């Protein structure tokens, strides 16, 4: 990890992109790129990675980083006229002052406002903020404010790529009874009937109105990550599996085995914000041995 610092306190990351390094006294570490307000790394006290990032990821302006926690805003996936997953993940966010009263957590606050290039795609005035707080957990709070004089709709997600030792031995617990849209079955609407969702092929599901607490058990690593959310009604489970992994240029052919996306989002129904209104969604990740 390069320690070269810029005058604004950021360090030089992959591709020369600025990043903020967070450290918590008990040993956790995280890094956040200004590019996309993208959390690209979270490690435990032993230095073990809890997030997946592709060895083939691009690290350049205009491209999305493959892995970590992409911020999806103001459009989830390709459900609208904007570039897939919106533009927030390919813009440079500004590093802002952090609220001092966060109970000792190491924090970074990033901000994105509308400009000519965003208004050319999406004609609205907004302020988006991502607060990243690292203590025993990693907590991301996404806030969106309507700073204009007319209402707008958006969808958003924190597209978390969890690192697993072997996705074939991973299970997502807590979704039984939850309705979902199965994107790999032509958008068929189904209801989850399993106590634990396992991945045995391409998986791309939007669980609508998912519980605020899921557990992701990585049996190969002997570890569980608890995914808690607030304000995000939905959860998405995604793994590209073999064929799609081969089609994605920024993902190695075998890397799908080491990742499982368990995303927190407001994706099934758009959020509507009137002028002056603000919305907030929080994701908290915690690991258990
Ligand atoms: O959230 C799941 C999903 O929308 C999938 O359909 C899959 O395409 C994935 O996101 C990754 O999208 P990306 O544009 O980053 O390749």
């Amino acid at each position: 990890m390069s320690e070269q610092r810029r005058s604004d306190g950021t360090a030089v990351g992959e591709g020369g992109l600025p990043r903020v390094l967070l450290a918590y006294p008990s040993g956790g570490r995280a890094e956040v790129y200004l590019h996309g307000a993208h959390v690209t790394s979270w490690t435990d006290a032993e230095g073990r990675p809890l997030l997946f990032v592709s060895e083939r990821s691009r690290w350049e302006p205009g491209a999305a980083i493959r892995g970590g926690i992409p911020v999806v805003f103001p459009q989830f996936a390709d459900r609208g006229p904007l570039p897939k997953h919106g533009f927030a993940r390919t813009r440079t966010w500004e590093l802002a002052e952090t609220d001092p009263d966060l109970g000792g957590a190491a924090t970074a606050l990033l901000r994105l406002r509308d400009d000519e290039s965003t208004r050319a795609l999406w004609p609205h005035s907004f302020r988006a903020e991502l607060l990243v707080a690292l203590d025993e957990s990693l907590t991301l709070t996404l806030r969106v404010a309507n700073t204009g004089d007319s209402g707008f709709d958006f969808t958003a997600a924190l597209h978390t790529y969890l690192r697993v030792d072997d996705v074939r031995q991973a299970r997502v617990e807590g979704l039984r009874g939850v309705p979902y849209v199965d994107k790999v079955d032509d958008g068929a609407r189904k209801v989850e009937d399993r106590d634990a969702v396992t991945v045995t092929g391409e998986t791309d599901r939007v669980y609508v109105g998912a519980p605020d607490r899921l557990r992701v058990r990585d049996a190969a690593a002997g570890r569980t990550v608890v995914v808690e959310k607030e304000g995000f009604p939905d959860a998405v489970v995604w793994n590209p599996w073999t064929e799609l992994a081969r089609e994605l240029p920024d993902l190695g052919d075998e890397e799908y085995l080491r990742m499982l996306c368990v995303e927190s989002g407001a994706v099934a129904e758009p959020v509507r914000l009137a002028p002056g209104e603000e919305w907030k969604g929080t994701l908290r990740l915690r690991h258990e041995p």
Side-chain angles (χ1 to χ4, degrees), residues 28-104:
R29 299 271 184 280
E31 68 178 22
V32 193
Y33 276 69
L34 272 49
H35 177 61
H38 203 127
V39 174
T40 53
S41 169
W42 172 41
T43 52
D44 66 13
E46 282 74 50
R48 287 177 303 198
L50 294 144
L51 298 176
F52 166 87
V53 176
S54 170
E55 285 165 9
R56 295 214 190 145
S57 178
R58 294 167 66 191
W59 301 85
E60 55 196 63
I65 295 167
R66 174 69 66 195
I69 311 183
V71 176
V72 170
F73 171 82
Q75 174 190 293
F76 176 72
D78 42 16
R79 301 175 170 201
L82 299 182
K84 190 170 171 205
H85 287 324
F87 49 70
R89 64 178 181 164
T90 52
R91 288 292 185 293
T92 303
W93 294 48
E94 139 208 358
L95 187 60
E97 290 290 314
T98 315
D99 183 339
D101 185 23
L102 284 159

Side-chain angles (χ1 to χ4, degrees), residues 10 12 38 176 204-205 215 250 253 269:
T10 61
V12 179
H38 203 127
R176 189 187 178 94
D204 195 349
R205 300 169 170 199
R215 291 164 59 86
D250 55 353
D253 290 357
E269 288 297 328

Side-chain angles (χ1 to χ4, degrees), residues 64 66 76-77 84-85 89 159 161 183 204 236 238 244 248 263:
R66 174 69 66 195
F76 176 72
K84 190 170 171 205
H85 287 324
R89 64 178 181 164
H159 194 301
Y161 286 72
K183 284 216 233 167
D204 195 349
V236 181
W238 180 60
L244 185 53
L248 294 171
E263 310 163 32

